[in-house]
Amino acid sequence: MAHNKISKIKEAFAKDKLSHALLLETHLGAATGLESLFQTILCQKRGIEACMECESCLIPFNLNDERRHPDFMITRPGAASGYSVEQVRDWESRFLYLSKNVSPKKLLVITQAEKLAGTQNAAANALLKVLEEPRPHTHLILLTSNSLRLLATIRSRSLKINLKNETPAPDLSSVNEFQEIQEALWGLFPKTSDLSNPTWWKDKAARIAELEEKAPLIWRQCTLRLAQSPREEALSFWTHWKHFEDFLWAVRHYGNPALHWLNFKRKVIGGQPWRISKLFG
């Protein structure tokens, strides 16, 4: 009977032959469909599957809660531009260098790992030091949709496995609530807008997190149309998307998100070319 790749990873773990660092290619660099693997690594009874009876297994498992389990941490980019070196150092001080609690292993999962390649690769270089000096009884799993965007030195220190055929493809219907953004990227804006309404941004942190989580799905949805678009329309979309990335960066770092959305709208409708040096111009 043939085993899938996830089962083979579990078998390697059960035999104590699992690499301390895994680089897994998944859809959008997401952790969906890998819950059983994470639980197996954290289980107090080493085996191919989690026992679901020990103290570790009985802790409710939630991929949306980065620290629900004391020996498990899942991370996401802190900004639209990617991970920062401060985030990597925070993983070390808050998690990696602390003692185990209930599990025989500690597990750090880094989603969208390709976004470590930020300004001058500072975050990637900081992580590289962690990979070169692995902590005992600790596993790191880097999830990415495109491993080629990672530093070659990180790829060489991780066991790469392509799981795109093993994990579920993203549910694009989940971005329907952001239909306004999708239309805006093609130059269309409704008369009334949620994103230009300050009340919609009342819980700013939650809204920003939601937008950043959905941004890759919005991109995937739009590229289905992009492939069938005339050249001029496709070029306009690329410019609008760069303005949208600027908008995400602005709402993360500055106040008044509704005003930033109106600024994004002005740039799109006015056909303003994208300039990296004119974020608010």
Side-chain angles (χ1 to χ4, degrees):
M1 178 179 177
H3 293 280
N4 62 25
K5 295 177 183 177
I6 295 176
S7 295
K8 290 187 178 295
I9 295 173
K10 293 178 180 180
E11 289 177 2
F13 173 75
K15 297 176 181 178
D16 201 21
K17 294 182 178 180
L18 185 64
S19 171
H20 77 280
L22 296 178
L23 176 59
L24 306 182
E25 289 219 33
T26 66
H27 297 286
L28 303 177
T32 306
L34 296 175
E35 295 88 342
S36 67
L37 172 60
F38 303 155
Q39 287 181 308
T40 296
I41 293 175
L42 294 169
C43 180
Q44 291 176 332
K45 301 176 182 179
R46 184 187 296 258
I48 296 178
E49 298 291 344
C51 72
M52 305 311 295
E53 296 177 351
C54 68
E55 182 182 358
S56 176
C57 289
L58 292 178
I59 298 174
F61 199 82
N62 186 349
L63 292 180
N64 294 319
D65 188 343
E66 67 167 18
R67 292 303 307 276
R68 182 69 173 267
H69 191 295
D71 296 310
F72 174 76
M73 185 175 188
I74 186 167
T75 68
R76 297 169 180 81
S81 57
Y83 288 100
S84 66
V85 65
E86 289 78 16
Q87 273 188 281
V88 178
R89 291 170 180 164
D90 191 49
W91 304 338
E92 297 177 279
S93 61
R94 288 181 54 217
F95 184 70
L96 291 175
Y97 291 167
L98 300 181
S99 301
K100 304 186 302 294
N101 289 275
V102 297
S103 298
K105 301 287 186 180
K106 293 174 71 72
L107 175 59
L108 171 64
V109 177
I110 303 171
T111 65
Q112 300 179 61
E114 68 276 3
K115 291 193 174 183
L116 284 162
T119 305
Q120 299 180 343
N121 294 316
N125 287 325
L127 179 65
L128 186 59
K129 295 180 180 179
V130 176
L131 296 176
E132 291 173 339
E133 302 175 5
R135 301 289 295 177
H137 312 295
T138 299
H139 288 287
L140 274 72
I141 296 181
L142 288 76
L143 303 177
T144 180
S145 59
N146 185 356
S147 61
L148 294 178
R149 294 181 60 187
L150 282 160
L151 290 181
T153 45
I154 288 182
R155 298 199 305 269
S156 67
R157 287 165 175 77
S158 308
L159 175 61
K160 179 189 171 185
I161 303 173
N162 190 336
L163 295 180
K164 287 185 177 177
N165 292 329
E166 309 279 335
T167 53
D171 179 10
L172 296 180
S173 64
S174 65
V175 300
N176 288 341
E177 60 190 293
F178 291 111
Q179 185 67 31
E180 178 182 347
I181 293 177
Q182 294 182 56
E183 293 302 318
L185 289 166
W186 294 101
L188 302 174
F189 292 86
K191 292 182 179 180
T192 60
S193 168
D194 286 333
L195 284 92
S196 60
N197 184 349
T199 304
W200 192 82
W201 292 96
K202 186 176 181 180
D203 190 348
K204 180 181 173 183
R207 288 298 190 187
I208 292 173
E210 190 178 14
L211 280 170
E212 291 179 345
E213 180 184 1
K214 292 296 192 299
L217 295 176
I218 294 171
W219 167 262
R220 184 179 177 90
Q221 185 81 309
C222 288
T223 53
L224 297 176
R225 173 177 170 182
L226 186 65
Q228 302 175 358
S229 300
R231 181 175 182 274
E232 290 302 319
E233 187 177 15
L235 290 175
S236 294
F237 171 84
W238 281 102
T239 299
H240 299 166
W241 181 265
K242 297 306 295 184
H243 287 320
F244 178 63
E245 289 183 337
D246 287 347
F247 159 75
L248 289 177
W249 187 92
V251 297
R252 164 64 71 177
H253 292 88
Y254 293 92
N256 204 340
L259 183 61
H260 292 311
W261 178 257
L262 291 175
N263 189 32
F264 164 75
K265 179 178 179 180
R266 175 179 62 83
K267 291 177 180 179
V268 171
I269 292 178
Q272 180 174 325
W274 181 74
R275 296 286 186 272
I276 192 169
S277 60
K278 291 187 66 179
L279 182 59
F280 301 110

